[in-house]
Amino acid sequence: MAIVNVSDQSFSADVENKQGVVLLDFWAPWCGPCKMLAPILEELDTEVNGGAVVAKINVDENPESASRFGVMSIPTIIVFKDGQPVDKVVGLNSKEALKGLIDKHK
């Protein structure tokens, strides 16, 4: 599965109306830790292999969603389960930590 690029306009369809777990990365292209997180998310997406949706949303292009979920620092990862936010971590995290977040909410 490929990482899903979410926008303010597609948020409902891509995140809130999905059954199961969605791991959503709030990021920006100028953010150093976000750039370091990108390959980790690619690996994670391959490993979960459809067991969860891995998604990203650019906070510069989609300020409405970032504001709505109180994203003050990036990268911020919010885990959604059946469309509801259930977990949130801020900063660069390891693949193992992120996989643990997904497994916790399956």
Side-chain angles (χ1 to χ4, degrees):
M1 234 179 129
I3 290 180
V4 176
N5 285 306
V6 178
S7 68
D8 284 343
Q9 293 72 31
S10 72
F11 198 89
S12 285
D14 290 336
V15 179
E16 293 177 310
N17 295 334
K18 289 278 186 207
Q19 290 299 305
V21 177
V22 176
L23 183 136
L24 181 60
D25 172 32
F26 289 80
W27 72 287
W30 48 263
C31 164
C34 299
K35 289 179 185 175
M36 294 166 62
L37 185 59
I40 294 170
L41 292 175
E42 292 286 346
E43 282 183 36
L44 183 64
D45 183 57
T46 302
E47 285 185 21
V48 297
N49 196 23
V53 174
V54 178
K56 298 176 74 147
I57 185 165
N58 182 325
V59 297
D60 288 343
E61 296 172 356
N62 303 284
E64 188 180 300
S65 296
S67 173
R68 184 172 158 210
F69 291 99
V71 174
M72 304 300 270
S73 301
I74 53 173
T76 291
I77 303 253
I78 299 180
V79 178
F80 291 81
K81 168 85 182 219
D82 298 333
Q84 297 299 311
V86 292
D87 225 328
K88 181 178 187 176
V89 292
V90 178
L92 183 61
N93 282 271
S94 69
K95 180 177 67 174
E96 290 73 25
L98 297 176
K99 192 163 183 340
L101 276 178
I102 290 171
D103 292 342
K104 177 178 165 185
H105 297 289
K106 275 190 172 175

